[in-house]
């Protein structure tokens, strides 16, 4: 019984930290308005050298998306970040250096998030309004830091696991039972790696765009979806 209780306690704590609907440490959303026919594509860990391929693909489908960027990648590739913003996509905050934030102090979280707010605002003229926690990990004090910067947390409805699966498997995960209001998570970078291979991501994104358009979906940024 003691073990059963301990295991249940560990499971509850894990859900609090990483569960997509958990609000324990900070407010967050994992889907938007279910009426209408819209989905929100999101890309994390950019900008990367390969991000322009996704911009081209999104433009071909008239799709707007949300890019949750790491400040350190933006510092390395400022021109790519500017191109993402210029194309009309939304920029969200994904911390400066993509740390695991469990057992992290509030001061460290404030530094990670604040530096990223600043570089995005400097490069694009607009500070992010959305935050996605690396690995989906939220922690004590994050809610307060989000409030300080006016950030809403964004988890996801479905995640492609595109850093490890082939394109057909990624697309299959995201296209299974897709509903209006879904927030789909992909990656245009691989944490802080330079020149990451995102070939499966690009291929899967093309398939998702094509299939969902054929099902009459349109593609909007997360903020636009939340405003509905
Ligand atoms: Zn990430």
């Amino acid at each position: 019984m003691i073990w059963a209780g301990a295991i249940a306690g560990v499971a509850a704590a894990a859900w609090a930290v990483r569960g997509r609907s958990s609000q324990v440490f900070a407010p967050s959303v994992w889907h938007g308005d279910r009426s209408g026919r819209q989905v929100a594509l999101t890309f994390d860990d950019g900008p990367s050298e390969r991000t322009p391929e996704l911009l081209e693909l999104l433009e071909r489908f008239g799709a707007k998306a949300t890019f949750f960027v790491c400040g350190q990648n933006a510092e390395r590739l400022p021109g790519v970040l500017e191109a993402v913003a210029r194309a009309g996509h939304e920029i969200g905050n994904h911390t400066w250096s993509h740390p695991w934030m469990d057992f992290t102090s509030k001061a460290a979280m404030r530094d990670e998030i604040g530096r990223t707010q600043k570089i995005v605002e400097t490069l694009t003229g607009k500070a992010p309004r959305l935050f996605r926690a690396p690995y989906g990990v939220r922690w004590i004090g994050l809610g307060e830091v989000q409030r300080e910067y006016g950030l809403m947390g964004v988890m996801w409805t479905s995640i492609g696991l595109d850093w490890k699966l082939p394109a057909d498997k990624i697309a299959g995960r995201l296209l299974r039972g897709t509903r209006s209001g879904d927030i789909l998570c992909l990656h245009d970078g691989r944490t802080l790696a330079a020149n990451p291979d995102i070939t499966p991501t690009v291929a899967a994104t093309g398939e998702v765009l094509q299939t969902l358009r054929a099902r009459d979906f349109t593609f909007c940024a997360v903020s636009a979806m939340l405003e509905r």
Side-chain angles (χ1 to χ4, degrees), residues 28-31 40-45 66-70 92-96 98-99 101 113 128-138 142 146 151-159 182-187 222:
S28 71
V29 298
W30 57 278
H31 67 80
L41 287 175
T42 66
F43 297 93
D44 297 356
D45 297 13
T66 305
F67 289 78
F68 289 95
V69 304
C70 291
N93 186 324
H94 197 44
T95 72
W96 184 264
H98 208 277
M101 292 201 300
I113 292 167
R129 303 299 311 276
L130 303 176
F131 173 70
R132 176 169 280 156
Y135 314 102
V137 169
R138 280 74 45 84
L142 176 62
Q146 280 186 202
L151 292 165
M152 170 55 78
V154 180
M155 294 291 280
W156 50 81
T157 317
S158 305
I159 188 162
D182 278 2
I183 297 172
L184 309 181
C185 180
L186 289 154
H187 296 75
V222 172

Side-chain angles (χ1 to χ4, degrees), residues 8-28 102 133 135-140 142 155:
V10 168
W15 174 82
V17 172
R18 298 189 76 178
R20 67 178 183 177
S21 62
S22 166
Q23 309 285 327
V24 174
F25 297 116
S28 71
D102 42 351
Y135 314 102
V137 169
R138 280 74 45 84
W139 196 247
I140 301 155
L142 176 62
M155 294 291 280

